[in-house]
Amino acid sequence: MIKSCYGFVLAAWFAAGCAQPVQPQAAPDTARLHHLAIVWLKQPGNDQLRRQYIEASRPLAGLPGVVAYEAGTPAAVQRSRPNAALDESYDVAIYGVFDSRQAYEQFLKNPEYLRVAQQVLRPLVDKYKLYEFAEPDWPKLP
């Protein structure tokens, strides 16, 4: 019994040591950058604050380098069976597409973005998660 437990512990230890986090690679300068922000408000489920957050962020869509911008709330899609991967616990999702990584980096330094983010949006936020990815530099499929 002890040998089998020892083997299990040893195997788990080796597996843990082999698991390395994925290191992001810098996007090619010409690749579009996609940005997704998932936001939980200090007052969860408050429709008025959800609308306030979305409306206050909309002008950011007009800043230089922004190709597309969308904002919304959980969709509450009816499914035939539960899906453990689905997370509808958030209040607002913001999705933006930028001309390039450089355009996104400039957006993050834009005084209007900084003002809106720091003075208007962040006071409403309890926590948030960010996901960013670059379009692959592969030929487009037909």
Side-chain angles (χ1 to χ4, degrees), residues 75-88:
V77 173
Q78 297 297 313
R79 290 177 163 67
S80 59
R81 59 186 177 89
N83 185 331
L86 180 62
D87 180 359
E88 295 178 311

Side-chain angles (χ1 to χ4, degrees), residues 47 50-51 54 71-76 90-93:
D47 286 335
R50 286 175 169 180
R51 280 192 296 276
I54 291 169
T73 58
Y90 65 96
D91 286 291
V92 177

Side-chain angles (χ1 to χ4, degrees), residues 21-32:
V22 175
Q23 296 299 317
Q25 295 179 336
D29 289 340
T30 58
R32 282 188 170 181

Side-chain angles (χ1 to χ4, degrees), residues 116-132:
V116 170
Q118 294 170 1
Q119 296 176 12
V120 181
L121 302 177
R122 288 194 185 135
L124 303 173
V125 174
D126 178 43
K127 69 177 184 172
Y128 61 96
K129 287 278 207 174
L130 302 176
Y131 301 90
E132 296 165 347

Side-chain angles (χ1 to χ4, degrees), residues 45-68:
N46 184 316
D47 286 335
Q48 181 181 350
L49 290 180
R50 286 175 169 180
R51 280 192 296 276
Q52 181 181 340
Y53 187 98
I54 291 169
E55 290 306 314
S57 69
R58 286 200 192 279
L60 301 177
L63 294 181
V66 179
V67 174

